[in-house]
Amino acid sequence: MKKSQQIQPIVKVNDILSLQVAPANIIKGENCLIKSGKFIAHFGKNPLIVGGEKTLKLIENYLNPISEEFNLSLSYHSYNPDCSEVSLKQLQKAVKSHQADVIIGVGGGKALDTAKLLAYNCHLPVITIPTSGATCAAWTALSNIYSESGAFQYDVTLKNCPNLLILDYNLIATAPVNTLIAGIGDAIAKWYEASISSGESSSTLTIAAVQQARVLRDILLQKSESALKNPLREEWKEVVDATVLLAGVSGGLGGVNCRTVAAHAIHNALTHFPEAHHQLHGAKVAYGILVQLRLEEMIVNNQLATAARQQLIKFYHNIALPCTLEDLGLHNITLAQLRYCAELTCQPSSDIHRLPFNVTPEQLIAAMVSTTA
């Protein structure tokens, strides 16, 4: 899908406003996936399952018994090399070959984004099954498209959130702890970005969306450190609910008024550096929040941003989120690379321009190297 073919985030027809707020159905609980066969079978008999190669092997243990019980014909396909246009074309051929009638996305953000966009392109229902707490992709009506080498290209807003989201806590608990840490970084950004992108809007839903983002931030600040030490305890489940479910509410309610700002724009630019590919989405976003706050300090002398940045630095240290380029593994980044990253972030189409002030590449470079000043 080319840029010119991207779907607009909000569809207006006279006074009609279309919002994609939430999945049509949500099932969550311990070991709930193996008990969800009748709900999956409701959507079709020929599911095509999309995920990474390791995840597909893992999920067979859950889906194959469901397939036998409900007489489903499953077809497993990797989205590799990335959530890219090339992968989507290959998967569309697999959908046709299998005569799939429902898409099931399993895994992290890129797998779920691929499944959602594939289902949209093929006019099929989609079921999302997250295997970690790393993102809210299982919830949202949005897919990010990357190059085959993993560089962010553009995003596509979809007409609907998933038809069914299955959040199995035991499945989430099998993921490495750094995935949930990254999810915390991605989710906490909702407040720092939505509170800016919403501007002075008096819209009821926008106000609600921003307040939900504030509640999300507070939950994560208060509960994350303890939750990470106690998987499957109630506090851990609450944090997983926050990263996977509640994080999607703000964008769903607020729509275009509560979109990403500088933190995600910086993430998108960092994906162009192979040296940063080992870092998860939320880790790069978390660093981007500090850069965004630093810009507010430097350019408009916002003292609240100073206090917020210092609070986050302490929080990041406690749960092992990155605070600096060095923490991201970019110890040897050159000035030329840093400038290229800043220029990418400041290109005309970038979300960084949702900030209520102008940002130059030079100012951004200064902020990127002084996040812990």
Side-chain angles (χ1 to χ4, degrees):
M1 183 177 289
K2 304 301 182 185
K3 284 190 177 182
S4 60
Q5 297 175 304
Q6 289 182 46
I7 302 94
Q8 295 300 312
I10 298 295
V11 180
K12 288 186 177 181
V13 182
N14 297 326
D15 294 329
I16 298 174
L17 180 65
S18 175
L19 289 172
Q20 300 76 42
V21 177
N25 302 277
I26 299 170
I27 299 171
K28 72 184 185 81
E30 291 193 40
N31 295 311
C32 67
L33 176 53
I34 198 68
K35 305 170 187 176
S36 300
K38 66 178 180 180
F39 301 101
I40 294 172
H42 168 78
F43 290 99
K45 290 293 184 181
N46 297 319
L48 185 133
I49 298 94
V50 176
E53 292 177 3
K54 291 182 179 179
T55 302
L56 291 177
K57 292 179 180 178
L58 170 68
I59 209 67
E60 285 182 2
N61 298 323
Y62 294 85
L63 295 184
N64 285 352
I66 291 174
S67 172
E68 294 177 9
E69 182 178 359
F70 291 91
N71 194 30
L72 305 181
S73 175
L74 307 181
S75 183
Y76 294 90
H77 292 269
S78 171
Y79 70 92
N80 286 341
D82 215 299
C83 182
S84 64
E85 293 179 351
V86 171
S87 293
L88 284 162
K89 288 179 181 178
Q90 294 171 344
L91 288 167
Q92 283 180 269
K93 293 178 181 177
V95 168
K96 185 176 181 180
S97 174
H98 184 58
Q99 296 184 322
D101 48 12
V102 59
I103 307 298
I104 301 178
V106 182
K110 290 187 175 182
L112 300 178
D113 278 2
T114 304
K116 290 184 296 183
L117 187 50
L118 176 65
Y120 172 81
N121 289 341
C122 297
H123 309 287
L124 294 174
V126 61
I127 299 168
T128 52
I129 306 174
T131 56
S132 77
T135 76
C136 60
W139 179 286
T140 61
L142 184 74
S143 291
N144 290 329
I145 302 299
Y146 296 81
S147 70
E148 291 178 74
S149 61
F152 174 84
Q153 293 187 320
Y154 59 91
D155 57 47
V156 178
T157 302
L158 310 174
K159 285 186 176 180
N160 301 101
C161 292
N163 301 85
L164 173 63
L165 188 165
I166 303 175
L167 177 59
D168 188 320
Y169 293 124
N170 294 80
L171 180 59
I172 298 289
T174 65
V177 67
N178 70 310
T179 58
L180 184 53
I181 293 171
I184 292 166
D186 189 32
I188 207 168
K190 304 297 182 186
W191 161 251
Y192 300 95
E193 294 189 300
S195 60
I196 287 179
S197 64
S198 59
E200 297 179 0
S201 174
S202 60
S203 163
T204 298
L205 292 182
T206 300
I207 292 170
V210 174
Q211 291 307 308
Q212 288 291 343
R214 180 185 60 79
V215 170
L216 172 62
R217 177 203 63 183
D218 291 348
I219 289 171
L220 294 175
L221 287 175
Q222 293 165 15
K223 298 184 177 183
S224 293
E225 190 173 356
S226 173
L228 290 167
K229 298 174 183 177
N230 298 287
L232 289 174
R233 298 282 182 87
E234 283 306 309
E235 208 164 37
W236 180 88
K237 293 177 184 177
E238 291 166 7
V239 169
V240 170
D241 283 353
T243 63
V244 178
L245 307 178
L246 185 54
V249 173
S250 182
L253 284 176
V256 73
N257 289 335
C258 292
R259 295 298 185 191
T260 57
V261 190
H264 275 79
I266 291 160
H267 159 274
N268 294 343
L270 287 171
T271 64
H272 290 257
F273 292 91
E275 298 89 343
H277 283 180
H278 68 287
Q279 292 286 347
L280 294 174
H281 169 88
K284 294 192 280 283
V285 170
Y287 163 77
I289 301 170
L290 298 182
V291 178
Q292 177 176 307
L293 292 170
R294 188 76 179 113
L295 287 169
E296 293 180 65
E297 293 175 67
M298 293 167 49
I299 298 175
V300 295
N301 194 30
N302 186 333
Q303 295 305 302
L304 289 177
T306 304
R309 184 171 61 86
Q310 296 301 331
Q311 178 188 37
L312 282 183
I313 288 171
K314 182 178 179 181
F315 175 66
Y316 284 12
H317 282 152
N318 288 342
I319 68 167
L321 277 171
C323 295
T324 65
L325 288 167
E326 289 78 13
D327 291 343
L328 286 170
L330 298 174
H331 304 80
N332 300 316
I333 188 170
T334 66
L335 180 59
Q337 288 176 310
L338 198 57
R339 176 170 293 279
Y340 177 63
C341 181
E343 289 173 348
L344 277 177
T345 306
C346 292
Q347 61 185 319
S349 61
S350 171
D351 286 343
I352 199 171
H353 302 301
R354 293 181 181 273
L355 288 169
F357 49 83
N358 293 326
V359 179
T360 66
E362 290 74 20
Q363 290 169 322
L364 181 56
I365 290 171
M368 291 179 71
V369 298
S370 63
T371 48
T372 58

